[in-house]
């Protein structure tokens, strides 16, 4: 039996949805990280965040992400990152530990169990200050509120917001697009929140076209609490991302048109090009 367009997209989502046990090995490093950082720097709290926590992680690509709220006076973001890096390098001398704003990345098991640790300082009135990848300063974020926002929006359209976020992140990883995963997720939730009718093949195109129309412009925090979400960390990354986005829009448009014409085979062929699958 010929596969339909929606069946293909469902199979793609299933392939790149991490099983519940996918990150268990990476999570085993949490205690050692927290104890070392508490000993060296002082830890107020440490909690899981990012796409894994939000339910938008991409199998084979997403890592375990933690925010670690540190004690003491907030230094420069560079100092904070270097302090966390040095503490973890001392703890894990045989593991690659490096700074990749806004996190310190620990590549356990040669990268098979990667953990990203974001240093943070509690902000007055709520939220946290974390390193800003674009400016090199600090940015304010409310990760727990962002998670709640995405979950609330996702109740509409049969979970459309998270499906759209996972698919666009799959595009990011498979096509090596230098754009923030967090930005794609929050933009996807914002896009879904404004849609009254939902059709995944049409909305994949609609979302990519929206990103193209706004040229990956920064996004005001939809919760109204934190700093703006930036899509890229440099102008060269912006140019690369926009070029790849132009290609994605063209392929998504063709896929949508073939889908509406009832031509499943050609629609699926365009999606295979779009997602490098």
């Amino acid at each position: 039996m010929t596969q339909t367009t929606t069946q293909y997209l469902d199979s793609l989502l299933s392939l790149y949805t991490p099983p519940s046990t996918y990150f268990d090995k990476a999570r085993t490093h949490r205690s050692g990280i927290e104890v070392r950082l508490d000993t060296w720097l002082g830890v107020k709290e440490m909690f899981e965040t990012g796409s894994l926590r939000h339910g938008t992680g991409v199998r084979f690509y997403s890592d375990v992400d933690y925010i670690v709220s540190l004690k003491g006076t907030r230094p420069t973001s560079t100092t904070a990152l270097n302090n966390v890096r040095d503490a973890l390098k001392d703890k894990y001398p045989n593991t690659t530990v490096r700074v990749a704003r806004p996190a310190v990345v620990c590549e356990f098991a040669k990268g098979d169990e990667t953990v990203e640790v974001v240093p943070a300082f509690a902000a007055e009135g709520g939220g946290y200050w974390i390193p800003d990848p674009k400016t090199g300063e600090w940015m304010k974020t409310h990760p727990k509120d962002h998670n709640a926002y995405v979950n609330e929006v996702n109740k509409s359209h049969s979970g459309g917001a998270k499906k759209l976020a996972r698919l666009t992140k799959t595009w990011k990883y498979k096509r090596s697009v230098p754009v923030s995963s967090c930005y794609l997720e929050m933009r996807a939730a914002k896009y879904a929140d404004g849609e009254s009718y939902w059709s995944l093949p049409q909305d994949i195109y609609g979302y990519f076209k929206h990103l193209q129309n706004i040229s990956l412009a920064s996004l005001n925090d939809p919760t109204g609490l934190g700093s703006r979400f930036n899509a890229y960390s440099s102008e060269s990354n912006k140019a690369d991302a926009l070029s790849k986005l132009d290609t994605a829009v063209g392929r998504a448009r063709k896929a949508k048109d073939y889908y509406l014409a009832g031509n499943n085979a050609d629609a699926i062929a365009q999606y295979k090009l779009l997602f490098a699958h």
Side-chain angles (χ1 to χ4, degrees), residues 38-58:
D38 190 34
T39 301
W40 277 47
L41 304 172
V43 172
K44 284 186 175 181
E45 63 172 329
M46 182 171 168
F47 57 92
E48 201 170 89
T49 186
S51 59
L52 174 59
R53 178 66 175 173
H54 292 186
T56 59
V58 178

Side-chain angles (χ1 to χ4, degrees), residues 167-236:
L167 285 173
T168 51
K169 288 182 185 182
T170 299
W171 164 74
K172 160 197 162 73
Y173 290 121
K174 296 288 286 183
R175 288 298 181 187
S176 300
V177 186
V179 63
S180 162
S181 293
C182 186
Y183 175 87
L184 290 176
E185 177 174 318
M186 297 306 291
R187 274 286 182 201
K190 182 72 172 176
Y191 172 88
D193 199 20
E195 293 295 295
S196 57
Y197 171 77
W198 193 263
S199 165
L200 191 56
Q202 295 182 68
D203 284 297
I204 290 172
Y205 166 70
Y207 180 48
F208 275 121
K209 183 61 178 175
H210 174 65
L211 294 176
Q212 183 188 52
N213 287 343
I214 63 174
S215 298
L216 296 174
S218 297
L219 170 67
N220 288 329
D221 186 341
T223 67
L225 296 171
S227 303
R228 289 162 65 84
F229 291 91
N230 293 315
Y232 48 86
S233 58
S234 69
E235 288 303 311
S236 61

Side-chain angles (χ1 to χ4, degrees), residues 39-228:
T39 301
W40 277 47
L41 304 172
V43 172
K44 284 186 175 181
E45 63 172 329
M46 182 171 168
F47 57 92
E48 201 170 89
T49 186
S51 59
L52 174 59
R53 178 66 175 173
H54 292 186
T56 59
V58 178
R59 190 178 186 181
F60 313 120
Y61 294 96
S62 294
D63 304 319
V64 173
D65 301 303
Y66 293 106
I67 283 184
V68 55
S69 179
L70 300 172
K71 297 177 180 178
T73 303
R74 176 162 54 100
T76 67
S77 64
T78 298
T79 297
L81 286 163
N82 289 343
N83 287 344
V84 170
R85 179 201 60 197
D86 293 346
L88 296 180
K89 270 192 170 183
D90 184 79
K91 168 71 174 176
Y92 304 106
N94 298 318
T95 296
T96 297
V97 179
R98 57 185 174 84
V99 171
R101 276 183 184 273
V104 172
V105 181
C106 302
E107 298 178 3
F108 298 106
K110 298 182 179 179
D112 289 340
E113 302 167 14
T114 299
V115 178
E116 297 193 5
V117 182
V118 178
F121 288 84
E124 186 176 350
Y128 303 87
W129 293 105
I130 66 170
D132 188 329
K134 188 172 184 179
T135 68
E137 303 297 330
W138 291 97
M139 61 180 286
K140 194 175 183 181
T141 186
H142 290 254
K144 297 172 184 177
D145 297 280
H146 297 155
N147 189 24
Y149 170 76
V150 173
N151 285 336
E152 183 62 30
V153 172
N154 198 55
K155 292 177 182 178
S156 302
H157 311 311
S158 301
K162 291 188 179 182
K163 291 178 182 179
L164 196 56
R166 179 169 280 122
L167 285 173
T168 51
K169 288 182 185 182
T170 299
W171 164 74
K172 160 197 162 73
Y173 290 121
K174 296 288 286 183
R175 288 298 181 187
S176 300
V177 186
V179 63
S180 162
S181 293
C182 186
Y183 175 87
L184 290 176
E185 177 174 318
M186 297 306 291
R187 274 286 182 201
K190 182 72 172 176
Y191 172 88
D193 199 20
E195 293 295 295
S196 57
Y197 171 77
W198 193 263
S199 165
L200 191 56
Q202 295 182 68
D203 284 297
I204 290 172
Y205 166 70
Y207 180 48
F208 275 121
K209 183 61 178 175
H210 174 65
L211 294 176
Q212 183 188 52
N213 287 343
I214 63 174
S215 298
L216 296 174
S218 297
L219 170 67
N220 288 329
D221 186 341
T223 67
L225 296 171
S227 303
R228 289 162 65 84

